[in-house]
Amino acid sequence: MLKKSALATAVAGLALCAPATAGNPLFSDIFTADPAALVDNNRVYLYVGHDEAKPEDKDYVLKEWRVYSSCDMKNWKAHGAPLNVQTFAWAKADAWAADITKRNGKYYFYATVEHKDKPGKAIGVAVSDSPTGPFKDARGSAIITNDMTKETDIAWDDIDPAVFTDKNGQAYLYWGNQVLKYVKLKPNMIEFEGPIRTVAVPHFTEASYLHRRGNTYYLSWSRHFPEETVYSTGPSATGPWTYRGLIMEKNANVNTIHHAIVDFNGKSYIFYHNAKLPGGAEFRRSVAVEELHYNADGTIRFVPQTDEGPAGNPAPGCQG
Ligand code: FUB
């Protein structure tokens, strides 16, 4: 029999050697989709749609966005659902894909919803003093509505906002389905400045994402359907874009793959969704994450999906 002090040491040792809690998919209690990520104060904040479709449902059932955070990419803390369709009084349904950024100490969350009065999807902006909320509608109206763009007749061509702020402080909103569009944002982040422009990238479906590494800008998106994640690079936030290739190949049992790319604690990561959680399907997806690597020439290495996910990467001061 172990003495009390020896037992305590053994238990402490067990805790140190305990396997990391989370692999992929990251969350097993609910279905999640459309990841957006923000790194702030040594934590990564993850915003996901909550897929509530039943197995027999034939369409998305998304009413709210859930928020999680981690300081080591392995252990995730749940922060509830501080954002939902009702955050926007002018919206009636469909908490589809979103993106978030921080500016001047405030957190701006750009989200796709179905508009009550103007047929089709629209994009709203919510704002908070904290990455975990509470959030409120920053404008009281949509920043983008379906009638502002005329390139396609479909009602869902104004979805999937991606917000990016350049070195000089100029912010951009990219979005779209079938046709990729962008607009410059004013420093207040809730109005646009100048015209809406379109961008021609090969086989664009949706889920554009813009990030920068050094002096290279990376524009990534979902192409084809079933979707795969591909990217171009360019010398500025608006191109010109040179197609570079595949980042992640299509999923086996869901057509979409929506991704987000961030740097956290010295490493780069790509969040995405698949349908690998038991019971998963087209409208019952699950968010996962992998480490993303750059080659010496700045190109992105193909990222295989794994069950393990990335290794633990505790940021300074990380305590769960
Ligand atoms: O979740 C609804 C829609 O499916 C998103 O807006 C798209 O990116 C696709 O993932």
Side-chain angles (χ1 to χ4, degrees), residues 33-34 60 62 96-97 112 159-160 206-207 256-258 273 285:
D34 300 330
Y60 298 114
L62 285 150
W96 283 20
T112 312
I159 65 168
D160 291 3
E206 58 187 1
T256 60
I257 194 167
H258 196 114
H273 67 229
R285 300 163 290 181

